[in-house]
Amino acid sequence: MGAMSVRTESSAPHRAGFACFVGRPNAGKSTLTNALVGTKVAITSNRPQTTRHTVRGIVHRPEAQLVLVDTPGLHKPRTLLGERLNDVVRTTWSEVDVIGFCLPADQKIGPGDRYIAGELADIKKTPKVAIVTKTDLVDNKALAAQLIAIDQLGKELGIEWAEIIPVSAVGDAQVSLLADLLVPMLPESPPLYPEGDLTDEPEQVMVAELIREAALEGVRDELPHSIAVVVEEMLPRQDRPADKPLLDIHANVYIERPSQKGIIIGPKGKRLKEVGMKSRKHIEALLGTPVFLDLHVKVAKDWQRDPKQLRKLGF
């Protein structure tokens, strides 16, 4: 006869599953992901909608594993790219185990929040948690008013909030409380990823994302959506001693119009050099190995509106 399994209080069933955070740009989604995972995984940027790909951070606990799926911002589609992003978002929402709707404590609920909440109301089965972020920026009275407003918003749209949780990503206690509240909403399951994994995002995509972030910094509003980065290849340099490896990375920065080339490259190539230096530092930190980065700027005419180009650029 096989061994009997006796379940005591301490050995509750292991849970594992997926959560995603939604909210308008700059609602604190990526910061929250990073705080939960404890390392920089999603790409934070002070520019909205730079998280282009589904970056997952993984929270490992003895009794549970919470996989965070970072969906791109949902926004009213203006282009083919916008529509495609929105489809990706809706699919993701219906496939995860819990959705966290992030609303910053320091801003009144606005039309952007209502738009997202309205879309959320259509996804019936997935439990929804309202997360009030950036609570360190307001006093108790303002926070209480925001909690009431969120409760009200749920009632208006017929959303049953499973929880309304105030957090400040700068305070660890609240962040682990958030994880405590999300875990019971996950299905019973063995861990989905090995212990050491922080993200299952292919390294090339993360590298491209780091380059894109560096390229966007400082060009404010001139090129918000019109940069795509493709890492053509990542190869260890041959003939290097084992203790001095070097990784060669060849990447192309694609823009839509020739006139944007000068903005990215800068006078005498100065800007592109800075982009290279900055992103190389981040990439070396991410991969833990010295990197030689070879960057080229190319024009892909109106890639946001061209299905063939979009496919080639990975959308």
Side-chain angles (χ1 to χ4, degrees), residues 52-90:
R52 271 282 205 225
H53 299 275
T54 309
V55 177
R56 296 176 176 80
I58 302 170
V59 182
H60 295 279
R61 292 188 155 199
E63 79 292 359
Q65 191 179 68
L66 175 65
V67 182
L68 302 172
V69 186
D70 209 16
T71 53
L74 183 82
H75 48 98
K76 299 193 170 103
R78 283 189 303 273
T79 58
L80 178 64
L81 174 63
E83 277 170 47
R84 202 168 284 185
L85 281 180
N86 287 358
D87 291 342
V88 171
V89 172
R90 287 195 190 88

Side-chain angles (χ1 to χ4, degrees), residues 247-298:
L247 187 66
D248 282 315
I249 299 180
H250 300 276
N252 292 326
V253 178
Y254 287 96
I255 48 184
E256 291 187 291
R257 289 186 292 283
S259 60
Q260 298 169 332
K261 216 166 170 168
I263 302 176
I264 289 281
I265 294 172
K268 297 199 172 136
K270 192 168 152 254
R271 241 200 117 254
L272 189 63
K273 263 204 201 78
E274 279 166 19
V275 170
M277 276 160 50
K278 182 170 256 167
S279 53
R280 199 189 72 226
K281 270 223 274 305
H282 287 303
I283 294 165
E284 290 183 335
L286 172 76
L287 302 177
T289 173
V291 161
F292 173 80
L293 181 60
D294 177 40
L295 273 188
H296 294 273
V297 180
K298 303 200 164 183

Side-chain angles (χ1 to χ4, degrees), residues 235-248 284 289-292:
L235 296 167
R237 176 87 52 97
Q238 296 302 309
D239 316 323
R240 298 280 294 193
D243 59 340
K244 291 205 170 133
L246 183 67
L247 187 66
D248 282 315
E284 290 183 335
T289 173
V291 161
F292 173 80

Side-chain angles (χ1 to χ4, degrees), residues 168-210:
S168 150
V170 295
D172 295 340
Q174 290 167 299
V175 171
S176 64
L177 172 70
L178 172 62
D180 292 341
L181 292 167
L182 294 177
V183 162
M185 300 181 192
L186 305 178
E188 291 187 21
S189 154
L192 303 163
Y193 293 89
E195 177 77 49
D197 287 11
L198 291 170
T199 169
D200 78 341
E201 191 65 8
E203 285 175 343
Q204 262 167 275
V205 174
M206 290 183 76
V207 165
E209 207 45 65
L210 287 170

